[in-house]
Amino acid sequence: MNILLISLSAFVLLIIIWFIATYNSLIGLKNYVEEAFSTMDVYLKKRFDMIPSLVDMVKGYSSHEKEVLDNITNLRSQAYSILSNDKKMELNQKLDTGLSRLIALSENYPELKANQNFLELQRQLENIENDIAQSRKYYNGTVREFNTKIQLFPTVIIASMFGFRAQKLFEADNIEREKPGVSF
């Protein structure tokens, strides 16, 4: 009788330890995802803050490209800090497209392309875009690991019990997939 009671107690203890360890690992992965988004968000915000300078610079050289400039200005006017992470990703995908069009417009204006301030803004934007690309890789890697963990059996049971939901990857939109790249 004692051996059965000890065996049953050991089994219950192992289940409790597994449950706690699984829950803690999910919390750790969730925190990695939040940290990765926060890192990426810093670079996205830098780019977001740079947009008015770029738009003003291009406006000075091109008054008839109003549609592109208005689109970027409207996107930029959104209150970035109060957006959810999903809305931030959506906004930045739209900004990627708008900035690509803005840089493409600059190709039509040799005086603008020769302007030192514009060249410096392009250099800074290129550096920020590289930082964003690296932070997207890190974010997507942590999201992939988290999403995989919460979908595997038996962890899926604990994940669903405590409301862990799959996170959205930061993906390129269709226009970004098709374009060959922005060259400065």
Side-chain angles (χ1 to χ4, degrees):
M1 187 70 151
N2 281 340
I3 293 181
L4 181 62
L5 186 57
I6 292 172
S7 297
L8 185 59
S9 297
F11 179 73
V12 168
L13 184 61
L14 285 175
I15 295 292
I16 291 171
I17 290 171
W18 170 82
F19 186 87
I20 291 169
T22 302
Y23 178 80
N24 287 342
S25 72
L26 290 172
I27 291 295
L29 287 173
K30 179 179 172 263
N31 288 337
Y32 279 129
V33 168
E34 289 171 2
E35 182 262 341
F37 187 87
S38 180
T39 299
M40 181 177 55
D41 197 39
V42 168
Y43 298 118
L44 294 173
K45 179 79 169 97
K46 266 183 171 178
R47 182 179 65 179
F48 192 76
D49 291 341
M50 182 184 286
I51 289 171
S53 299
L54 276 169
V55 169
D56 288 343
M57 183 79 59
V58 174
K59 270 184 187 175
Y61 287 88
S62 164
S63 59
H64 63 281
E65 307 289 1
K66 187 168 176 24
E67 180 187 338
V68 172
L69 298 172
D70 287 347
N71 182 37
I72 293 172
T73 301
N74 289 339
L75 289 171
R76 174 55 181 88
S77 68
Q78 295 185 29
Y80 189 82
S81 60
I82 63 169
L83 296 174
S84 69
N85 289 354
D86 286 345
K87 291 292 183 189
K88 285 179 182 180
M89 286 191 271
E90 186 179 308
L91 172 66
N92 277 288
Q93 287 173 337
K94 290 176 183 175
L95 283 172
D96 285 345
T97 302
L99 285 173
S100 295
R101 290 180 65 198
L102 182 68
I103 296 303
L105 280 179
S106 72
E107 298 294 321
N108 298 330
Y109 301 96
E111 320 84 48
L112 177 60
K113 285 175 43 176
N115 182 297
Q116 288 303 312
N117 290 334
F118 185 74
L119 292 173
E120 178 59 22
L121 283 172
Q122 278 187 316
R123 187 191 62 71
Q124 289 176 14
L125 182 61
E126 185 176 3
N127 289 340
I128 289 171
E129 292 296 337
N130 289 335
D131 291 339
I132 290 171
Q134 292 302 314
S135 62
R136 278 182 182 175
K137 280 191 222 177
Y138 176 62
Y139 172 76
N140 283 342
T142 58
V143 167
R144 182 195 69 241
E145 187 176 341
F146 176 77
N147 288 348
T148 300
K149 180 88 173 189
I150 67 169
Q151 294 169 358
L152 294 175
F153 184 80
T155 308
V156 68
I157 296 166
I158 294 173
S160 63
M161 283 174 55
F162 288 98
F164 291 98
R165 301 285 177 250
Q167 300 294 308
K168 183 178 175 185
L169 292 170
F170 200 92
E171 297 175 335
D173 63 14
N174 290 334
I175 292 172
E176 284 181 306
R177 286 185 190 109
E178 293 170 10
K179 70 181 179 184
V182 176
S183 61
F184 296 113

mmCIF file of all heavy atoms in Angstrom, residues 109-149:
data_model
loop_
_atom_site.group_PDB
_atom_site.id
_atom_site.type_symbol
_atom_site.label_atom_id
_atom_site.label_comp_id
_atom_site.label_asym_id
_atom_site.label_seq_id
_atom_site.Cartn_x
_atom_site.Cartn_y
_atom_site.Cartn_z
ATOM 1 N N TYR A 109 14.327 63.838 -60.010
ATOM 2 C CA TYR A 109 14.767 65.193 -59.692
ATOM 3 C C TYR A 109 16.261 65.196 -59.377
ATOM 4 O O TYR A 109 16.671 65.005 -58.229
ATOM 5 C CB TYR A 109 13.963 65.743 -58.504
ATOM 6 C CG TYR A 109 12.486 65.758 -58.797
ATOM 7 C CD1 TYR A 109 11.665 64.707 -58.383
ATOM 8 C CD2 TYR A 109 11.924 66.788 -59.534
ATOM 9 C CE1 TYR A 109 10.319 64.696 -58.683
ATOM 10 C CE2 TYR A 109 10.570 66.782 -59.836
ATOM 11 C CZ TYR A 109 9.782 65.743 -59.409
ATOM 12 O OH TYR A 109 8.448 65.725 -59.719
ATOM 13 N N PRO A 110 17.086 65.441 -60.382
ATOM 14 C CA PRO A 110 18.548 65.408 -60.185
ATOM 15 C C PRO A 110 19.027 66.392 -59.130
ATOM 16 O O PRO A 110 19.967 66.100 -58.387
ATOM 17 C CB PRO A 110 19.110 65.769 -61.563
ATOM 18 C CG PRO A 110 17.996 65.592 -62.523
ATOM 19 C CD PRO A 110 16.722 65.694 -61.763
ATOM 20 N N GLU A 111 18.367 67.554 -59.030
ATOM 21 C CA GLU A 111 18.783 68.531 -58.011
ATOM 22 C C GLU A 111 18.556 67.981 -56.607
ATOM 23 O O GLU A 111 19.352 68.201 -55.703
ATOM 24 C CB GLU A 111 18.004 69.851 -58.125
ATOM 25 C CG GLU A 111 17.718 70.369 -59.496
ATOM 26 C CD GLU A 111 16.465 69.758 -60.132
ATOM 27 O OE1 GLU A 111 15.390 69.675 -59.522
ATOM 28 O OE2 GLU A 111 16.600 69.348 -61.289
ATOM 29 N N LEU A 112 17.454 67.252 -56.435
ATOM 30 C CA LEU A 112 17.141 66.645 -55.143
ATOM 31 C C LEU A 112 18.152 65.553 -54.817
ATOM 32 O O LEU A 112 18.657 65.480 -53.695
ATOM 33 C CB LEU A 112 15.724 66.065 -55.149
ATOM 34 C CG LEU A 112 15.269 65.323 -53.888
ATOM 35 C CD1 LEU A 112 15.311 66.237 -52.666
ATOM 36 C CD2 LEU A 112 13.865 64.765 -54.081
ATOM 37 N N LYS A 113 18.464 64.726 -55.816
ATOM 38 C CA LYS A 113 19.430 63.637 -55.599
ATOM 39 C C LYS A 113 20.812 64.169 -55.249
ATOM 40 O O LYS A 113 21.597 63.487 -54.606
ATOM 41 C CB LYS A 113 19.516 62.758 -56.850
ATOM 42 C CG LYS A 113 18.320 61.847 -57.004
ATOM 43 C CD LYS A 113 18.321 61.059 -58.285
ATOM 44 C CE LYS A 113 19.644 60.488 -58.656
ATOM 45 N NZ LYS A 113 19.614 59.646 -59.842
ATOM 46 N N ALA A 114 21.113 65.406 -55.657
ATOM 47 C CA ALA A 114 22.421 65.987 -55.384
ATOM 48 C C ALA A 114 22.448 66.775 -54.061
ATOM 49 O O ALA A 114 23.519 67.138 -53.583
ATOM 50 C CB ALA A 114 22.835 66.907 -56.534
ATOM 51 N N ASN A 115 21.287 67.010 -53.479
ATOM 52 C CA ASN A 115 21.198 67.792 -52.246
ATOM 53 C C ASN A 115 21.827 67.013 -51.093
ATOM 54 O O ASN A 115 21.446 65.870 -50.814
ATOM 55 C CB ASN A 115 19.717 68.090 -51.964
ATOM 56 C CG ASN A 115 19.514 68.929 -50.733
ATOM 57 O OD1 ASN A 115 19.849 68.519 -49.628
ATOM 58 N ND2 ASN A 115 18.951 70.106 -50.943
ATOM 59 N N GLN A 116 22.767 67.628 -50.386
ATOM 60 C CA GLN A 116 23.496 66.948 -49.301
ATOM 61 C C GLN A 116 22.579 66.534 -48.159
ATOM 62 O O GLN A 116 22.748 65.464 -47.576
ATOM 63 C CB GLN A 116 24.630 67.841 -48.779
ATOM 64 C CG GLN A 116 25.787 67.977 -49.735
ATOM 65 C CD GLN A 116 26.379 66.625 -50.102
ATOM 66 O OE1 GLN A 116 26.647 65.780 -49.250
ATOM 67 N NE2 GLN A 116 26.553 66.399 -51.397
ATOM 68 N N ASN A 117 21.600 67.371 -47.832
ATOM 69 C CA ASN A 117 20.665 67.007 -46.767
ATOM 70 C C ASN A 117 19.844 65.782 -47.156
ATOM 71 O O ASN A 117 19.616 64.885 -46.342
ATOM 72 C CB ASN A 117 19.728 68.174 -46.450
ATOM 73 C CG ASN A 117 20.440 69.312 -45.766
ATOM 74 O OD1 ASN A 117 21.455 69.118 -45.102
ATOM 75 N ND2 ASN A 117 19.923 70.515 -45.949
ATOM 76 N N PHE A 118 19.407 65.742 -48.408
ATOM 77 C CA PHE A 118 18.645 64.592 -48.876
ATOM 78 C C PHE A 118 19.510 63.339 -48.883
ATOM 79 O O PHE A 118 19.069 62.266 -48.478
ATOM 80 C CB PHE A 118 18.065 64.861 -50.270
ATOM 81 C CG PHE A 118 17.175 63.752 -50.754
ATOM 82 C CD1 PHE A 118 15.907 63.575 -50.221
ATOM 83 C CD2 PHE A 118 17.598 62.862 -51.735
ATOM 84 C CE1 PHE A 118 15.073 62.553 -50.662
ATOM 85 C CE2 PHE A 118 16.785 61.834 -52.175
ATOM 86 C CZ PHE A 118 15.516 61.687 -51.636
ATOM 87 N N LEU A 119 20.750 63.482 -49.326
ATOM 88 C CA LEU A 119 21.664 62.336 -49.336
ATOM 89 C C LEU A 119 21.900 61.813 -47.919
ATOM 90 O O LEU A 119 21.961 60.599 -47.702
ATOM 91 C CB LEU A 119 22.986 62.711 -50.005
ATOM 92 C CG LEU A 119 22.911 62.985 -51.511
ATOM 93 C CD1 LEU A 119 24.247 63.505 -52.018
ATOM 94 C CD2 LEU A 119 22.475 61.745 -52.265
ATOM 95 N N GLU A 120 22.011 62.721 -46.959
ATOM 96 C CA GLU A 120 22.196 62.309 -45.564
ATOM 97 C C GLU A 120 20.943 61.602 -45.048
ATOM 98 O O GLU A 120 21.029 60.581 -44.359
ATOM 99 C CB GLU A 120 22.531 63.519 -44.681
ATOM 100 C CG GLU A 120 22.697 63.202 -43.221
ATOM 101 C CD GLU A 120 23.800 62.190 -42.905
ATOM 102 O OE1 GLU A 120 24.739 61.999 -43.705
ATOM 103 O OE2 GLU A 120 23.718 61.570 -41.827
ATOM 104 N N LEU A 121 19.773 62.130 -45.378
ATOM 105 C CA LEU A 121 18.525 61.472 -44.980
ATOM 106 C C LEU A 121 18.426 60.080 -45.602
ATOM 107 O O LEU A 121 18.007 59.123 -44.952
ATOM 108 C CB LEU A 121 17.313 62.310 -45.385
ATOM 109 C CG LEU A 121 17.006 63.526 -44.521
ATOM 110 C CD1 LEU A 121 15.910 64.367 -45.154
ATOM 111 C CD2 LEU A 121 16.605 63.103 -43.112
ATOM 112 N N GLN A 122 18.820 59.951 -46.863
ATOM 113 C CA GLN A 122 18.808 58.639 -47.517
ATOM 114 C C GLN A 122 19.752 57.676 -46.815
ATOM 115 O O GLN A 122 19.413 56.509 -46.608
ATOM 116 C CB GLN A 122 19.234 58.768 -48.985
ATOM 117 C CG GLN A 122 18.145 59.199 -49.901
ATOM 118 C CD GLN A 122 18.603 59.125 -51.345
ATOM 119 O OE1 GLN A 122 19.704 59.529 -51.690
ATOM 120 N NE2 GLN A 122 17.752 58.603 -52.190
ATOM 121 N N ARG A 123 20.931 58.152 -46.450
ATOM 122 C CA ARG A 123 21.902 57.301 -45.765
ATOM 123 C C ARG A 123 21.336 56.836 -44.416
ATOM 124 O O ARG A 123 21.418 55.664 -44.054
ATOM 125 C CB ARG A 123 23.228 58.048 -45.565
ATOM 126 C CG ARG A 123 24.343 57.145 -45.006
ATOM 127 C CD ARG A 123 25.564 57.936 -44.566
ATOM 128 N NE ARG A 123 25.294 58.881 -43.487
ATOM 129 C CZ ARG A 123 25.039 58.542 -42.213
ATOM 130 N NH1 ARG A 123 24.984 57.279 -41.854
ATOM 131 N NH2 ARG A 123 24.808 59.464 -41.302
ATOM 132 N N GLN A 124 20.752 57.764 -43.677
ATOM 133 C CA GLN A 124 20.152 57.411 -42.389
ATOM 134 C C GLN A 124 18.999 56.431 -42.571
ATOM 135 O O GLN A 124 18.866 55.467 -41.808
ATOM 136 C CB GLN A 124 19.652 58.663 -41.673
ATOM 137 C CG GLN A 124 20.744 59.560 -41.148
ATOM 138 C CD GLN A 124 20.175 60.834 -40.529
ATOM 139 O OE1 GLN A 124 18.982 60.939 -40.256
ATOM 140 N NE2 GLN A 124 21.038 61.808 -40.318
ATOM 141 N N LEU A 125 18.180 56.669 -43.584
ATOM 142 C CA LEU A 125 17.057 55.767 -43.853
ATOM 143 C C LEU A 125 17.556 54.381 -44.224
ATOM 144 O O LEU A 125 17.014 53.373 -43.765
ATOM 145 C CB LEU A 125 16.175 56.333 -44.974
ATOM 146 C CG LEU A 125 14.945 55.517 -45.326
ATOM 147 C CD1 LEU A 125 14.002 55.387 -44.136
ATOM 148 C CD2 LEU A 125 14.215 56.141 -46.506
ATOM 149 N N GLU A 126 18.600 54.316 -45.023
ATOM 150 C CA GLU A 126 19.163 53.020 -45.399
ATOM 151 C C GLU A 126 19.680 52.271 -44.167
ATOM 152 O O GLU A 126 19.430 51.070 -44.018
ATOM 153 C CB GLU A 126 20.293 53.219 -46.404
ATOM 154 C CG GLU A 126 20.857 51.926 -46.939
ATOM 155 C CD GLU A 126 21.914 52.144 -48.010
ATOM 156 O OE1 GLU A 126 22.265 53.286 -48.309
ATOM 157 O OE2 GLU A 126 22.385 51.129 -48.535
ATOM 158 N N ASN A 127 20.348 52.981 -43.257
ATOM 159 C CA ASN A 127 20.828 52.352 -42.024
ATOM 160 C C ASN A 127 19.671 51.858 -41.164
ATOM 161 O O ASN A 127 19.719 50.749 -40.620
ATOM 162 C CB ASN A 127 21.698 53.327 -41.228
ATOM 163 C CG ASN A 127 23.033 53.577 -41.879
ATOM 164 O OD1 ASN A 127 23.505 52.796 -42.698
ATOM 165 N ND2 ASN A 127 23.655 54.699 -41.539
ATOM 166 N N ILE A 128 18.638 52.683 -41.063
ATOM 167 C CA ILE A 128 17.468 52.280 -40.267
ATOM 168 C C ILE A 128 16.778 51.072 -40.907
ATOM 169 O O ILE A 128 16.368 50.143 -40.209
ATOM 170 C CB ILE A 128 16.490 53.462 -40.098
ATOM 171 C CG1 ILE A 128 17.100 54.511 -39.157
ATOM 172 C CG2 ILE A 128 15.149 52.999 -39.557
ATOM 173 C CD1 ILE A 128 16.326 55.816 -39.095
ATOM 174 N N GLU A 129 16.669 51.069 -42.233
ATOM 175 C CA GLU A 129 16.054 49.931 -42.923
ATOM 176 C C GLU A 129 16.850 48.645 -42.668
ATOM 177 O O GLU A 129 16.257 47.579 -42.489
ATOM 178 C CB GLU A 129 15.929 50.196 -44.427
ATOM 179 C CG GLU A 129 14.929 51.276 -44.793
ATOM 180 C CD GLU A 129 13.487 50.957 -44.434
ATOM 181 O OE1 GLU A 129 13.136 49.776 -44.297
ATOM 182 O OE2 GLU A 129 12.714 51.908 -44.278
ATOM 183 N N ASN A 130 18.166 48.748 -42.635
ATOM 184 C CA ASN A 130 18.991 47.571 -42.322
ATOM 185 C C ASN A 130 18.741 47.102 -40.891
ATOM 186 O O ASN A 130 18.637 45.896 -40.627
ATOM 187 C CB ASN A 130 20.471 47.874 -42.537
ATOM 188 C CG ASN A 130 20.828 47.997 -44.001
ATOM 189 O OD1 ASN A 130 20.164 47.446 -44.860
ATOM 190 N ND2 ASN A 130 21.888 48.738 -44.282
ATOM 191 N N ASP A 131 18.643 48.056 -39.958
ATOM 192 C CA ASP A 131 18.346 47.703 -38.569
ATOM 193 C C ASP A 131 16.965 47.062 -38.445
ATOM 194 O O ASP A 131 16.778 46.096 -37.707
ATOM 195 C CB ASP A 131 18.419 48.945 -37.667
ATOM 196 C CG ASP A 131 19.838 49.469 -37.502
ATOM 197 O OD1 ASP A 131 20.802 48.696 -37.721
ATOM 198 O OD2 ASP A 131 19.981 50.662 -37.156
ATOM 199 N N ILE A 132 15.993 47.603 -39.187
ATOM 200 C CA ILE A 132 14.646 47.036 -39.167
ATOM 201 C C ILE A 132 14.665 45.607 -39.705
ATOM 202 O O ILE A 132 14.042 44.709 -39.136
ATOM 203 C CB ILE A 132 13.660 47.921 -39.975
ATOM 204 C CG1 ILE A 132 13.409 49.235 -39.230
ATOM 205 C CG2 ILE A 132 12.347 47.183 -40.231
ATOM 206 C CD1 ILE A 132 12.638 50.267 -40.039
ATOM 207 N N ALA A 133 15.395 45.398 -40.790
ATOM 208 C CA ALA A 133 15.466 44.053 -41.378
ATOM 209 C C ALA A 133 16.046 43.054 -40.379
ATOM 210 O O ALA A 133 15.537 41.937 -40.239
ATOM 211 C CB ALA A 133 16.302 44.075 -42.653
ATOM 212 N N GLN A 134 17.106 43.450 -39.678
ATOM 213 C CA GLN A 134 17.705 42.555 -38.689
ATOM 214 C C GLN A 134 16.760 42.300 -37.517
ATOM 215 O O GLN A 134 16.637 41.158 -37.045
ATOM 216 C CB GLN A 134 19.035 43.138 -38.179
ATOM 217 C CG GLN A 134 20.122 43.177 -39.216
ATOM 218 C CD GLN A 134 20.415 41.806 -39.787
ATOM 219 O OE1 GLN A 134 20.541 40.820 -39.076
ATOM 220 N NE2 GLN A 134 20.492 41.740 -41.105
ATOM 221 N N SER A 135 16.107 43.357 -37.045
ATOM 222 C CA SER A 135 15.196 43.167 -35.917
ATOM 223 C C SER A 135 13.952 42.373 -36.322
ATOM 224 O O SER A 135 13.405 41.632 -35.513
ATOM 225 C CB SER A 135 14.821 44.512 -35.286
ATOM 226 O OG SER A 135 14.151 45.340 -36.197
ATOM 227 N N ARG A 136 13.522 42.489 -37.582
ATOM 228 C CA ARG A 136 12.411 41.659 -38.066
ATOM 229 C C ARG A 136 12.794 40.182 -38.029
ATOM 230 O O ARG A 136 11.981 39.334 -37.668
ATOM 231 C CB ARG A 136 12.042 42.020 -39.509
ATOM 232 C CG ARG A 136 11.146 43.202 -39.653
ATOM 233 C CD ARG A 136 10.824 43.430 -41.116
ATOM 234 N NE ARG A 136 9.995 44.608 -41.266
ATOM 235 C CZ ARG A 136 9.647 45.109 -42.424
ATOM 236 N NH1 ARG A 136 10.051 44.560 -43.554
ATOM 237 N NH2 ARG A 136 8.891 46.175 -42.487
ATOM 238 N N LYS A 137 14.021 39.887 -38.443
ATOM 239 C CA LYS A 137 14.475 38.483 -38.402
ATOM 240 C C LYS A 137 14.430 37.947 -36.978
ATOM 241 O O LYS A 137 13.958 36.838 -36.733
ATOM 242 C CB LYS A 137 15.908 38.371 -38.927
ATOM 243 C CG LYS A 137 16.043 38.358 -40.403
ATOM 244 C CD LYS A 137 17.469 37.967 -40.754
ATOM 245 C CE LYS A 137 18.026 38.777 -41.864
ATOM 246 N NZ LYS A 137 19.406 38.465 -42.165
ATOM 247 N N TYR A 138 14.931 38.738 -36.039
ATOM 248 C CA TYR A 138 14.942 38.318 -34.640
ATOM 249 C C TYR A 138 13.513 38.154 -34.127
ATOM 250 O O TYR A 138 13.171 37.145 -33.494
ATOM 251 C CB TYR A 138 15.712 39.336 -33.789
ATOM 252 C CG TYR A 138 15.697 39.032 -32.310
ATOM 253 C CD1 TYR A 138 16.255 37.853 -31.816
ATOM 254 C CD2 TYR A 138 15.137 39.919 -31.412
ATOM 255 C CE1 TYR A 138 16.234 37.568 -30.463
ATOM 256 C CE2 TYR A 138 15.120 39.644 -30.060
ATOM 257 C CZ TYR A 138 15.665 38.461 -29.592
ATOM 258 O OH TYR A 138 15.636 38.195 -28.248
ATOM 259 N N TYR A 139 12.660 39.129 -34.409
ATOM 260 C CA TYR A 139 11.267 39.062 -33.975
ATOM 261 C C TYR A 139 10.584 37.828 -34.557
ATOM 262 O O TYR A 139 9.949 37.062 -33.831
ATOM 263 C CB TYR A 139 10.519 40.334 -34.396
ATOM 264 C CG TYR A 139 9.034 40.257 -34.150
ATOM 265 C CD1 TYR A 139 8.521 40.398 -32.864
ATOM 266 C CD2 TYR A 139 8.136 40.022 -35.184
ATOM 267 C CE1 TYR A 139 7.162 40.304 -32.620
ATOM 268 C CE2 TYR A 139 6.776 39.931 -34.948
ATOM 269 C CZ TYR A 139 6.293 40.080 -33.671
ATOM 270 O OH TYR A 139 4.942 39.973 -33.430
ATOM 271 N N ASN A 140 10.712 37.638 -35.863
ATOM 272 C CA ASN A 140 10.064 36.494 -36.500
ATOM 273 C C ASN A 140 10.603 35.173 -35.972
ATOM 274 O O ASN A 140 9.851 34.202 -35.844
ATOM 275 C CB ASN A 140 10.196 36.574 -38.023
ATOM 276 C CG ASN A 140 9.239 37.585 -38.633
ATOM 277 O OD1 ASN A 140 8.263 37.989 -38.014
ATOM 278 N ND2 ASN A 140 9.525 37.998 -39.848
ATOM 279 N N GLY A 141 11.879 35.121 -35.643
ATOM 280 C CA GLY A 141 12.455 33.905 -35.063
ATOM 281 C C GLY A 141 11.855 33.596 -33.696
ATOM 282 O O GLY A 141 11.527 32.434 -33.402
ATOM 283 N N THR A 142 11.701 34.624 -32.867
ATOM 284 C CA THR A 142 11.114 34.388 -31.542
ATOM 285 C C THR A 142 9.636 34.048 -31.657
ATOM 286 O O THR A 142 9.135 33.196 -30.918
ATOM 287 C CB THR A 142 11.315 35.604 -30.604
ATOM 288 O OG1 THR A 142 10.729 36.760 -31.184
ATOM 289 C CG2 THR A 142 12.775 35.841 -30.309
ATOM 290 N N VAL A 143 8.946 34.680 -32.600
ATOM 291 C CA VAL A 143 7.524 34.365 -32.811
ATOM 292 C C VAL A 143 7.373 32.928 -33.300
ATOM 293 O O VAL A 143 6.498 32.197 -32.836
ATOM 294 C CB VAL A 143 6.866 35.361 -33.792
ATOM 295 C CG1 VAL A 143 5.507 34.863 -34.268
ATOM 296 C CG2 VAL A 143 6.717 36.726 -33.134
ATOM 297 N N ARG A 144 8.233 32.516 -34.224
ATOM 298 C CA ARG A 144 8.177 31.140 -34.734
ATOM 299 C C ARG A 144 8.370 30.147 -33.587
ATOM 300 O O ARG A 144 7.624 29.166 -33.464
ATOM 301 C CB ARG A 144 9.245 30.922 -35.809
ATOM 302 C CG ARG A 144 9.210 29.523 -36.415
ATOM 303 C CD ARG A 144 10.462 29.193 -37.199
ATOM 304 N NE ARG A 144 11.576 29.069 -36.289
ATOM 305 C CZ ARG A 144 12.672 29.839 -36.308
ATOM 306 N NH1 ARG A 144 12.853 30.756 -37.203
ATOM 307 N NH2 ARG A 144 13.626 29.668 -35.415
ATOM 308 N N GLU A 145 9.359 30.408 -32.738
ATOM 309 C CA GLU A 145 9.624 29.503 -31.617
ATOM 310 C C GLU A 145 8.436 29.462 -30.655
ATOM 311 O O GLU A 145 8.015 28.387 -30.214
ATOM 312 C CB GLU A 145 10.890 29.970 -30.886
ATOM 313 C CG GLU A 145 11.366 29.025 -29.825
ATOM 314 C CD GLU A 145 12.673 29.485 -29.186
ATOM 315 O OE1 GLU A 145 13.394 30.309 -29.776
ATOM 316 O OE2 GLU A 145 12.955 29.014 -28.074
ATOM 317 N N PHE A 146 7.876 30.620 -30.343
ATOM 318 C CA PHE A 146 6.724 30.700 -29.451
ATOM 319 C C PHE A 146 5.515 29.987 -30.062
ATOM 320 O O PHE A 146 4.871 29.162 -29.397
ATOM 321 C CB PHE A 146 6.384 32.168 -29.164
ATOM 322 C CG PHE A 146 5.158 32.358 -28.320
ATOM 323 C CD1 PHE A 146 5.198 32.140 -26.948
ATOM 324 C CD2 PHE A 146 3.953 32.754 -28.887
ATOM 325 C CE1 PHE A 146 4.065 32.315 -26.167
ATOM 326 C CE2 PHE A 146 2.817 32.932 -28.123
ATOM 327 C CZ PHE A 146 2.874 32.711 -26.753
ATOM 328 N N ASN A 147 5.210 30.297 -31.321
ATOM 329 C CA ASN A 147 4.048 29.682 -31.974
ATOM 330 C C ASN A 147 4.189 28.171 -32.075
ATOM 331 O O ASN A 147 3.215 27.437 -31.882
ATOM 332 C CB ASN A 147 3.829 30.293 -33.365
ATOM 333 C CG ASN A 147 3.301 31.712 -33.297
ATOM 334 O OD1 ASN A 147 2.885 32.197 -32.246
ATOM 335 N ND2 ASN A 147 3.327 32.394 -34.421
ATOM 336 N N THR A 148 5.391 27.707 -32.352
ATOM 337 C CA THR A 148 5.623 26.257 -32.410
ATOM 338 C C THR A 148 5.383 25.627 -31.048
ATOM 339 O O THR A 148 4.705 24.603 -30.931
ATOM 340 C CB THR A 148 7.051 25.958 -32.891
ATOM 341 O OG1 THR A 148 7.229 26.516 -34.194
ATOM 342 C CG2 THR A 148 7.321 24.469 -32.932
ATOM 343 N N LYS A 149 5.911 26.252 -30.019
ATOM 344 C CA LYS A 149 5.788 25.705 -28.659
ATOM 345 C C LYS A 149 4.325 25.593 -28.236
ATOM 346 O O LYS A 149 3.917 24.576 -27.676
ATOM 347 C CB LYS A 149 6.562 26.589 -27.683
ATOM 348 C CG LYS A 149 6.521 26.159 -26.250
ATOM 349 C CD LYS A 149 7.608 25.202 -25.937
ATOM 350 C CE LYS A 149 7.646 24.927 -24.439
ATOM 351 N NZ LYS A 149 8.801 24.174 -24.060
#
